[in-house]
Amino acid sequence: MDPRPAGIDRRLREVQRILAVTGGKGGIGKSSVASVLALVFAEAGMRTGLLDLDLTAPSDHVILGLDGCFPTEDCGLEPPLVHGIQFMSVSYFLGQHPAPLRGAEVTNVIIELLAVTCWRALDVLVIDMPPGLGDASLDLVRLLRRAEYLVVAGRSRVVLETVRRMLRFLSDSGVPIAGVVENMARVESAAVKELAQQFHAPFLGALPFDATIDDASGDAAGISRTALAAALRLVRDQLLRFGPSHLPPRS
Ligand SMILES: Nc1ncnc2c1ncn2[C@@H]1O[C@H](COP(=O)(O)OP(=O)(O)OP(=O)(O)O)[C@@H](O)[C@H]1O
Ligand SMILES: [Mg+2]
């Protein structure tokens, strides 16, 4: 028997709500959405955490700007406060080095990170999920027993097909889908909304393509002035209105 999932549950017991940001496709904006969503949750006075679980390409620290902070050790590893957000990422330990990990090693690092991180009380923990449906994502769906999923989509056919697969997987796994957003929207289109409806998932809106995002990266105040942040405030408000999606607890 693996004792670690129960240990992970214990580490997350002070966390009211876990929102895992995913999307079938690489580069669709998961990290941008996760980081900026965490910022706008914190800005609304919510106790917010952000966990970057993309081991191969951790990015949230680049988007938020870290300012040299590092986890401290007490009951485990305590995530430092970054712009009011409890933030944990492998980027603290990797620096600019790559993490050349294979299959089971990836899962082990993720489990270790979840098992040692000591979150203080949180209203919401946003998780930037690894891309795609590889081992790491499959393991996380099993390990994060209370997570709800926010799916980042786009309207191109290639993206839609991949996101459809992700929605099918989440739905077959019986996990709650908190909502679907369309990212980098340039023209009005009902395609993502229709896809969400097919899976009975709330469509939470379109996030505009915002050319200022890249320049604002690393500057939290600048990020919070972008059109992406404005759109994510509306997404945040809907997530708070709906409350956690309730499904029977998974074993
Ligand atoms: N709404 C947006 N408008 C303009 N650019 C955006 C938007 N969202 C994300 N981007 C840009 O798209 C690129 C990919 O975004 P991001 O890294 O967040 O995607 P990702 O899904 O996390 O990628 P990966 O699969 O590699 O982890 C980045 O350069 C980011 O700045
Ligand atoms: Mg990413």
Side-chain angles (χ1 to χ4, degrees), residues 27 29-32 52 54 57-60 128-129 131:
K30 296 176 295 297
S31 299
S32 306
D52 191 345
D54 186 346
S59 316
D60 300 358
D128 185 0
M129 294 286 281

Side-chain angles (χ1 to χ4, degrees), residues 82-230:
V82 176
H83 311 298
I85 299 164
Q86 295 180 37
F87 177 57
M88 183 54 92
S89 162
V90 287
S91 62
Y92 293 121
F93 315 104
L94 288 177
Q96 294 184 337
H97 298 283
L101 301 169
R102 295 164 196 266
E105 294 168 337
V106 177
T107 301
N108 281 334
V109 172
I110 285 177
I111 290 178
E112 205 59 39
L113 202 58
L114 285 167
V116 299
T117 304
C118 186
W119 300 100
R120 298 176 295 283
L122 288 178
D123 296 309
V124 61
L125 173 62
V126 180
I127 300 186
D128 185 0
M129 294 286 281
L133 279 174
D135 289 357
S137 301
L138 300 182
D139 284 321
L140 280 167
V141 166
R142 180 174 57 84
L143 291 166
L144 296 169
R145 294 194 269 212
R146 288 193 294 119
E148 319 160 54
Y149 289 77
L150 176 63
V151 178
V152 182
R155 68 176 287 270
S156 90
R157 280 212 200 139
V158 180
V159 174
L160 280 175
E161 274 322 296
T162 316
V163 174
R164 184 189 308 282
R165 243 182 279 279
M166 175 59 82
L167 284 165
R168 166 69 56 215
F169 164 71
L170 294 174
S171 152
D172 288 350
S173 308
V175 302
I177 301 173
V180 180
V181 290
E182 174 182 352
N183 191 28
M184 301 196 233
R186 293 171 189 265
V187 289
E188 213 162 292
S189 156
V192 174
K193 186 176 185 179
E194 284 166 10
L195 180 63
Q197 282 167 346
Q198 285 165 23
F199 288 88
H200 308 289
F203 175 66
L204 300 180
L207 313 171
F209 181 86
D210 181 347
T212 67
I213 279 287
D214 260 331
D215 285 340
S217 252
D219 165 20
I223 289 271
S224 67
R225 288 191 294 271
T226 59
L228 178 61

